[in-house]
Amino acid sequence: KPNENLVPDDFDPAMIADQLRSAGVLEAVRVSRVGFPQRYTHLQFVKRYGCLAPNATKTRSVRDVKKQCLGVVEKVATQIWKDENPSLPKGSGKLVVDPGDVGIQVGKTKVFLRQHAFEYLERYRSREIERNVIRIQAIARGYIHHREYRHALRALWRIQCMVRRMIGAKIVRGLREERAATRIQTVWRRYDARHAFLATVTITSWCQRIWRGRNGRLLYQSLDEERRSIVIQKYWRRFTCYKHFNRQKYAVLVLQCFVRCCTARQELKKLKMGAKDLETVKKELERVKAELAAAKLAQGTTETLSPEENDKIEAERRALEEKVKQAQEEARQAKEEAMQAKEEASQAKEEARQAQEELEKVQKGVAEEAEKSQTELERLQNEIEETKRKHAQELELLATCPSPQSLVKITDDENTVTVSEDEAKLLDEVKIIKEEKEEAQAEALA
């Protein structure tokens, strides 16, 4: 009964406590608190209190649940022991605490907790959850404020860009106006100065044009004739030098052939003499062999001779053997020398044949070069005649006055002159001829 009056929403704590005490509920609760009132399976324990030992719950395998559970229990038991015994020194090293001493027992399938151990675990869990919640809130708030800051910073950049663009556009507009005004002034002043300058130059250069044109044509004609004569001389000297070189080359080849033939004849003569010496050596070898055979026959009778006679015969036998070996070695050397001399004679014959073929090629090349030189000389003579004819036509056209529109402005190192287009072309050709003449002189000096 909540109260003696039996009215709703009226609880009498003393009456309720007396009823619970009389019914034995408080005693049952006390007995339950003395034992292990809280019981969890290994998986439930790890899921609920694994956050207290994150290093022990890194592996998520089902087979390692008990191992994870033992790791969490060990970590929590050490922490409970430290909280229950605050008088322990901090530098005591790593503690090894029995879970049963702090009210935790690990069975085959469940974990048993006493009431005070359960309260510690719940307190630790609440504190860890609170710390993680605060950390998550801090990260979320930081992210929100950072996003708002970047948004504000981006807006500020846009405002700055717009303001700077307006200022830059204003400055550029002023600079463009100033540059346009300067350009208009420059063009007008240049036009005025050029008009006055051309009026002055045209009057002075109009009278100089015909005289300078005539001098330029005469100079061009003389330089062109000189250039063509230099070209003709160059080809003729080249032809003569090449012809002289081929003659010398032919003479050298003839001398080489003669010297090699003489050397080959001398070697052949030596080989013939060596062959005769070889026959003599063969006869001497046969004689020595006969003496050696006689000495061997006489060896059977040496037993009856004196020791001095035996030594003398033995010495003669050894001398004969040495002569035989020496004669064989001389015969072998003579044979090798004969083979070598034969090879040298064949090489000399082949070189003579190659020299004869080279001489025929050189003679053929000289004839072809002479024909080419003659053709080039005829072509140059035709060009000279054609150039003289063109110059005669140009001199006939000197009487005609060119119009002012055909004037060309030529700038020299010291002054500026206005001439006609034909005269400008002639002057350019004169410069080219001068350069070719200088190059020809440099080649002649080299």
Side-chain angles (χ1 to χ4, degrees), residues 350-388:
E350 182 67 22
E351 290 178 358
R353 186 182 62 78
Q354 292 178 358
Q356 184 65 25
E357 292 178 355
E358 185 69 21
L359 181 60
E360 292 176 357
K361 290 181 181 179
V362 169
Q363 290 177 354
K364 185 177 180 181
V366 169
E368 293 178 355
E369 189 67 24
E371 292 179 359
K372 291 180 181 179
S373 301
Q374 186 65 27
T375 306
E376 186 67 20
L377 288 173
E378 294 177 357
R379 186 181 63 80
L380 290 174
Q381 290 177 359
N382 294 331
E383 289 182 358
I384 291 172
E385 293 177 358
E386 183 68 20
T387 305
K388 288 181 178 180

Side-chain angles (χ1 to χ4, degrees), residues 251-265:
V252 169
L253 290 173
V254 171
L255 290 175
Q256 288 179 351
C257 293
F258 177 74
V259 171
R260 288 172 181 170
C261 290
C262 292
T263 306
R265 291 191 186 95

Side-chain angles (χ1 to χ4, degrees), residues 227-258:
R227 181 182 66 85
R228 293 178 184 278
S229 62
I230 290 172
V231 170
I232 294 171
Q233 291 175 0
K234 179 178 69 175
Y235 278 102
W236 175 252
R237 289 170 182 171
R238 177 186 172 187
F239 170 72
T240 55
C241 292
Y242 190 69
K243 187 175 180 181
H244 180 66
F245 169 74
N246 288 328
R247 288 177 180 175
Q248 290 181 349
K249 186 177 180 180
Y250 175 72
V252 169
L253 290 173
V254 171
L255 290 175
Q256 288 179 351
C257 293
F258 177 74

Side-chain angles (χ1 to χ4, degrees), residues 390-402:
K390 289 181 179 179
H391 287 330
Q393 293 177 359
E394 290 177 357
L395 291 174
E396 292 177 359
L397 295 174
L398 283 174
T400 60
C401 281

Side-chain angles (χ1 to χ4, degrees), residues 147-162:
R147 185 177 61 183
E148 292 176 354
Y149 168 74
R150 285 187 298 177
H151 182 69
L153 186 63
R154 195 177 295 110
L156 181 61
W157 287 347
R158 289 180 181 177
I159 294 170
Q160 288 179 351
C161 289
M162 292 177 65

